[in-house]
Amino acid sequence: IDKGSRDGVRVGRVVVLKNVLVGRVERTSAHLSVVEVVSHEGISFTAETSKTSALGVLTGAGAGEMVLENVLLSDKLAKGDMVVSKGDKKVTGGEGVPAGLVVGRIVSVKRQASSLFQSAEVESLVDVERLKMVFVMR
């Protein structure tokens, strides 16, 4: 993004478009910042579904893909349900993800009766390639 440390942008700050999580600030210079998008491999934080409050860990899988993992098999995951951030006090190398930010929509669910956990593929509501303006949360 075209704002940096002179504009008050700090590493670890969350970047949003309205109430949708885009990513977090990875690096800054005086006038520029690099934002790691939420689907970037290595990003993870707690999240839940909006309809059933199924709790899990949202993990960036790279190539624009995200997975809601470690959801108890007894919790209900449904295609089309929205996934929102649960709120982390602090994530590795950052300031944490506030609660209630929309992360994306479930596009598929993977469950096996022999497993304790299930997972879901999550699709972002934001096309980061087309973004022109974002907000860096303080």
Side-chain angles (χ1 to χ4, degrees):
I1 59 174
D2 65 349
K3 301 293 179 196
S5 58
R6 287 198 175 167
D7 303 296
V9 177
R10 302 283 179 260
V11 171
R13 295 267 168 91
V14 173
V15 178
V16 297
L17 175 67
K18 297 183 182 178
N19 68 333
V20 178
L21 180 61
V22 173
R24 70 174 177 213
V25 177
E26 178 69 19
R27 294 188 307 272
T28 62
S29 65
H31 301 288
L32 285 173
S33 297
V34 174
V35 175
E36 195 171 69
V37 295
V38 72
S39 62
H40 187 271
E41 202 171 336
I43 286 189
S44 68
F45 53 90
T46 55
E48 63 184 345
T49 59
S50 62
K51 290 181 185 172
T52 63
S53 299
L55 186 63
V57 177
L58 193 287
T59 303
E65 297 179 11
M66 298 176 285
V67 179
L68 183 62
E69 301 176 303
N70 298 330
V71 178
L72 291 174
L73 201 57
S74 59
D75 288 345
K76 181 164 176 51
L77 290 177
K79 186 176 175 182
D81 198 357
M82 301 300 283
V83 176
V84 297
S85 59
K86 178 69 174 162
D88 288 341
K89 291 185 181 187
K90 184 165 180 158
V91 292
T92 305
E95 297 182 12
V97 177
L101 294 176
V102 176
V103 179
R105 178 182 298 116
I106 294 176
V107 292
S108 67
V109 176
K110 182 180 176 185
R111 67 172 54 100
Q112 295 176 341
S114 61
S115 177
L116 293 175
F117 299 103
Q118 59 185 322
S119 63
E121 182 182 342
V122 179
E123 160 184 270
S124 179
L125 302 180
V126 175
D127 180 358
V128 294
E129 298 291 326
R130 303 180 103 194
L131 284 178
K132 296 195 186 306
M133 186 179 300
V134 294
F135 177 75
V136 179
M137 296 181 77
R138 292 193 183 261

